[in-house]
Structures are given as C-alpha cells and as structure tokens.
Amino acid sequence: MTPQRGMYGWFADTARRHPAAVALEVGGRPWSYAELGDLAGRLAEALHAADPGRPLRRIGLLASRTPHAYAGYLAVQRLGASVVPLNPAFPAARNAAIAKAAGLDLVLAQPDYGTAELGARLLSPDLGSLPPARALPALPAGARGPRDIGYVLFTSGSTGSPKGVPIQHRSVDAYLSHVINRYQLDVGARLSQTFELTFDLSVFDLFAAWGSGATLVVPGPDDVLAPARFVARERLTHWFSVPSVISFARRLRALAPDSMPSLRWSLFCGETLTLAQASAWQRAAPNSVLENLYGPTELTLSCTEFRMPAPGTPAAGTGTPAGSTPAAGPGGAVPIGTLYPGLEHLVVDEDGREADEGELCVRGVQRFPGYLDPQDNIGRFLRREQGCTTVVERADPPSDDLWYRTGDRVRRSPDGLVHLGRLDHQIKIRGYRVELGEIEAALRALPGVNEAVVLSLDGAAGQERLAAACTAQSGARLDPDTLLAGLRERLPAYMVPVTVSVRRSFPYNTNGKIDRTALREALARNP
C-alpha cells in the first residue's frame, strides 16, 4: 500500500533516520539533512510571520539552484501550502501572469531576484540573518492530506495563457513509492539535478533523493552540457535529464566510451529518446541501466517506463530477441514501455474505439484533479461506459473514473507502447512542453501583426527548431528583428522562434484554412 506522507513527510522521515547524511551539495557546500531541515524551518518561520493571521495556500518560489531554492521548496511544504515555482530566467510579464493565475498569497524570492513586477507580495530573506527555528504553530486541519495540492506547475496553453496543473500529495506519494524502490535509491546514492524547478521532472531530483537518504548534487552552469565530466567529478550514481543532453555532448565530443563508470542508473524523459542516443550513452556508462520514461505534467512527472536492453541482451519482460533492438517509433524512437502501478490506460482511435494505435488516455492515482482554470478541462477527459467512450465537454472537476486524454499518439508493440507523436500542435523543445498556439498568440499581440503561424522544423542533430511567419496589418511595416525582440520580452527563451518571416499572405487549403504543410515546406526552403 502506498504510504500517505505528503511531500514534506518524505524529507522529514529521512531527516529523522539519517540526520548526518548529506542531503544537498550546491556551490561546493554540502548540507546534511539536519542542516537543510533547520534552514527550511527558519524559512518557514519567516513565511508564517509574514502573514500570521491566516494559513498560506499557494506560495510562489522565485529561485534557482541555490540553497534558497531547495530550502524554500521544503519550507513551503512544511507549512502545508502549495509550491508554485517561478523561473528567474522567464520574462517578468510571464511570471506575473502565472502569479495572477495562481492567486499567490506570497512569493519567496532570492534577494537578487526580488521584483515588484510580479504583482504579489514578496519575501526575500537573507539566509544569514534568519533567526533560529522555533516550533511552528500547529498546521491547519487537513494540511498535506492525500488530496491536498503539493505543487502547481504552469504549462504552455493553446489559448495564449499558461495552464495551471495542480498535483495532489497522493499522486506524488504513489510516484515516489515506485521510483525509489525501482532505482535502488538509498543513503550513498548521488543524483544529478539537471531540471529547473518550473520543470516537473525536478520533483524526482529533489524528493526521490530526499525520500531515500540520497544526495542531490547540483551542477554548475556548464556541467549539464558536459555530463561525463560532471558525473566523473562528482561520482554520480544516478543521472536524469532530457535526451537532448546526449546530442549536445556528442556534438562537443564530450561523451567518450567508458567515461562514466560510476553511473548505476540513467533515466531520460521529457522528449523523444532515440536508439542512437541510447546506444551512445550506454557506451559511455557501461555499468548503468538505462530507462526511457514518458509522462505529461498532468500524470505526475512520468507514468511509463522502458528498460533499454544492454547490448546483446533482450529487454526484460518483452518480446525483443537477444541481440536485437526494441520496436522503434518514428526516427528510431525508443519505446515508452508500460505503465506504472496504480494506472490504467486506453488507446482509442478517432472514433473513440479501442485500438492498437491511437490516442493514449490514462487514469489512476497519478492523474491530476483537473486544471486550475476549470475551462481548460473541457474536452480533455473521456468517459467509458459499456465499452464506448465519449469526450466530456464540461468544465467540472473530473471524477476519478474519467480518463485523461494525453494528446499523444501511441502504438502497442511487444515492447509496450511506442510513441508516434502529438495529435495537436503541441511539441517538446529542450524537454519543455510548448503549445505553438501560445507563441502564435504572443506574435499576433505585437504591433502591426495580422496573422501568425509558428511551426516546428527539423534542426541540427535531430532537434526541432521553431520558425514563425506572419502577415502585416494594412499599412504596417514589420521588421523581423523587432518582432523577435518583442517575443523575447513575452516568452521564455526556449519558446522564441529562431526566425520570423514576414509574408504578404499565407497559403490556404480548400477548406479556407492556412495550409501549414505548404507553409512548412516554404519555410524549410527559405526561412
């Protein structure tokens, strides 16, 4: 049975059992579980003192890869509030939009990141001046219950506004119970921390480490792009990142065979992992078991797993013969495999019938309870009755029996599920989920722009790149560089297209819609 601990409970249980073990290494400084817990307690005191008259529901965390970030995350959890990570690298306007949509009570920020532009109350304590932690008042009744919200992350939204995805403590409990055991995490294990806190996979980095007694090792600015050097220097046992890290390292010739002998486990998620990437990593980390994971934010980090066979061996529990490769998807994609315990899935075709190929739909303990804005729930869930499925066109919070529509197309195979791509205009860029419609909305909002289309094109090393095209309003003169500068003020760097092409008109199909296929071909020839 999955323990109901709540996110802070996983850390607190470990801190009681192993107070002297190292919980965190950041900036060359180790923090024991006792020290990190004390710092989190002092920050929790400061947060509570900022508004002692009422419980805090949602607290923004504007920090990145510093003691403020990690202790701050724990402090918010200690108070029974929900963490809403904000990325200091994002434009202030986007962080302000998230703060407003989340209804933040307070924002905890590193002193050098504090900004009044967020439209929310800020607390930027100096860690060195915090008083000793005292016993916090009793938490409000029901805090950190199984269905309370542990964190809220905002993903790219097709309407032009980010979508808030709340995740319950019970979902994180189920997730951690599975991955901590599967990846043999314990005191002495050393985990990478490659994800920003606004990326949901960072929850694995933090709480799989802290829920097991392992050490979270934070990389320096250039370490992620040189993983072999980072792994060797820090004696890492567990690696977790997006697959594009492999491509970057290979391009820099920084992934030599046998260069990461300390690694025992290597996990990849967030975008497509190819057989070529997996093979290169296996040669560099010959003692490591490599797994490909898949999962949207709405299903709590990851929800499927596929263990890549070592060279010359079959994948355990699959139909792959020894010495052969798994059933690959488009472009040699590694299968995403089978679902975690406590989850069920359907594969449905365009008519809503179960099929061997179609949209992946999932329900179970890791499914989120519905979007922060109930309007975003419309059309995202399926009801199945007597073998028939129907799309739920209501904004009500979805009941547990409904299936979440991932928007991902999959095919069944002897190796589990194979990912075939998206059903809509959503893509992954550097592991981040991006709705092309949000970028199009931002481009249309710039002065003088009439129509806007954003497309993904094949880039270097098999990585996608974004290209935009727009038409001008009557009498307007548009400059591509000015348009790109305007997008940089509104969007995170990973969402800004490489190019913007100003065109007199777009091609249209017989239905009167913009012919995206023809436009993609034109942009590929002449961006």
Side-chain angles (χ1 to χ4, degrees):
M1 184 175 179
T2 300
Q4 300 295 328
R5 301 181 185 180
M7 294 175 71
Y8 185 79
W10 285 89
F11 172 85
D13 287 351
T14 300
R16 282 192 290 270
R17 296 194 313 271
H18 308 289
V22 177
L24 174 69
E25 290 183 5
V26 56
R29 200 286 205 189
W31 293 78
S32 70
Y33 276 88
E35 290 174 317
L36 185 59
D38 177 72
L39 180 58
R42 288 186 283 147
L43 277 174
E45 287 273 13
L47 288 167
H48 178 75
D51 197 346
R54 62 189 178 99
L56 297 168
R57 288 185 319 126
R58 294 182 191 140
I59 299 176
L61 180 60
L62 186 66
S64 178
R65 295 183 178 174
T66 64
H68 265 95
Y70 305 107
Y73 208 119
L74 288 169
V76 176
Q77 296 292 338
R78 173 67 182 84
L79 291 172
S82 305
V83 176
V84 183
L86 303 169
N87 195 324
F90 286 0
R94 183 177 180 83
N95 281 331
I98 290 173
K100 181 179 180 181
L104 297 182
D105 298 309
L106 190 66
V107 174
L108 175 62
Q110 289 177 215
D112 49 335
Y113 289 153
T115 170
E117 298 176 20
L118 288 176
R121 289 192 305 139
L122 290 168
L123 181 69
S124 300
D126 178 359
L127 297 184
S129 63
L130 289 172
R134 299 179 296 276
L136 283 170
L139 294 175
R144 295 197 315 280
R147 291 185 181 269
D148 287 321
I149 303 303
Y151 61 87
V152 181
L153 288 175
F154 281 78
T155 67
S156 181
S158 58
T159 61
S161 299
K163 293 192 297 186
V165 182
I167 299 296
Q168 297 172 326
H169 284 284
R170 71 180 191 130
S171 298
V172 182
D173 284 340
Y175 175 82
L176 293 176
S177 294
H178 177 62
V179 298
I180 286 174
N181 289 329
R182 183 173 180 85
Y183 302 124
Q184 301 170 331
L185 289 162
D186 204 341
V187 176
R190 295 174 61 79
L191 278 66
S192 63
Q193 206 281 287
T194 68
F195 301 105
E196 293 289 346
L197 299 186
T198 45
F199 200 156
D200 63 332
L201 298 179
S202 65
V203 174
F204 173 93
D205 295 346
L206 276 62
F207 287 91
W210 296 339
S212 63
T215 301
L216 184 67
V217 183
V218 181
D222 302 320
D223 283 337
V224 173
L225 298 184
R229 181 185 65 192
F230 177 45
V231 168
R233 186 186 73 228
E234 301 297 341
R235 309 178 312 284
L236 298 185
T237 60
H238 291 67
W239 177 269
F240 192 24
S241 77
V242 293
S244 57
V245 167
I246 303 174
S247 297
F248 286 129
R250 292 178 72 191
R251 196 155 60 239
L252 297 173
R253 298 184 179 180
L255 203 63
D258 302 313
S259 55
M260 298 183 287
S262 66
L263 278 187
R264 304 201 307 263
W265 292 91
S266 299
L267 312 177
F268 295 94
C269 192
E271 58 191 6
T272 299
L273 174 70
T274 66
L275 292 172
Q277 289 172 323
S279 178
W281 190 271
Q282 286 178 308
R283 290 193 297 270
N287 303 320
S288 173
V289 177
L290 188 152
E291 288 205 345
N292 185 37
L293 311 181
Y294 156 86
T297 302
E298 289 86 348
L299 294 173
T300 311
L301 286 78
S302 58
C303 62
T304 74
E305 58 203 7
F306 177 78
R307 185 164 298 181
M308 189 71 184
T313 63
T318 73
T320 304
S324 65
T325 56
V334 174
I336 60 174
T338 56
L339 269 78
Y340 290 2
L343 296 176
E344 302 174 86
H345 78 282
L346 292 174
V347 178
V348 297
D349 62 18
E350 293 180 355
D351 298 319
R353 296 183 298 236
E354 288 195 60
D356 288 332
E357 182 175 317
E359 182 177 16
L360 176 63
C361 304
V362 179
R363 70 178 180 183
V365 66
Q366 288 183 220
R367 200 212 73 190
F368 76 132
Y371 293 102
L372 210 57
D373 181 352
Q375 293 300 311
D376 290 326
N377 293 330
I378 297 174
R380 298 310 308 153
F381 295 88
L382 285 182
R383 173 174 285 110
R384 184 172 185 246
E385 295 175 328
Q386 297 179 342
C388 298
T389 61
T390 55
V391 177
V392 179
E393 299 290 355
R394 294 202 313 267
D396 304 337
S399 55
D400 289 349
D401 63 316
L402 298 184
W403 305 77
Y404 173 67
R405 301 178 60 196
T406 66
D408 288 306
R409 190 162 58 92
V410 299
R411 179 179 66 234
R412 300 183 191 277
S413 82
D415 296 314
L417 299 173
V418 175
H419 190 271
L420 303 177
R422 292 291 301 171
L423 294 169
D424 51 22
H425 294 150
Q426 187 185 95
I427 62 170
K428 287 287 186 74
I429 295 290
R430 286 184 285 176
Y432 285 94
R433 192 170 76 180
V434 175
E435 289 274 8
L436 298 182
E438 181 174 359
I439 308 174
E440 292 171 351
L443 183 53
R444 283 194 300 270
L446 297 178
V449 173
N450 183 24
E451 299 173 295
V453 173
V454 178
L455 299 168
S456 63
L457 305 179
D458 291 336
Q463 300 302 307
E464 290 181 294
R465 63 183 176 90
L466 296 176
C470 65
T471 60
Q473 297 173 2
S474 178
R477 296 176 63 87
L478 299 178
D479 173 62
D481 290 337
T482 301
L483 295 173
L484 286 171
L487 290 176
R488 292 188 190 102
E489 293 178 355
R490 291 164 170 79
L491 299 170
Y494 65 86
M495 292 177 66
V496 176
V498 176
T499 59
V500 175
S501 172
V502 179
R503 297 183 172 255
R504 298 173 103 184
S505 63
F506 287 147
Y508 291 88
N509 60 27
T510 55
N511 294 325
K513 297 181 179 180
I514 295 174
D515 190 333
R516 289 175 177 262
T517 300
L519 183 57
R520 178 178 282 105
E521 293 172 353
L523 291 176
R525 290 194 307 269
N526 184 17

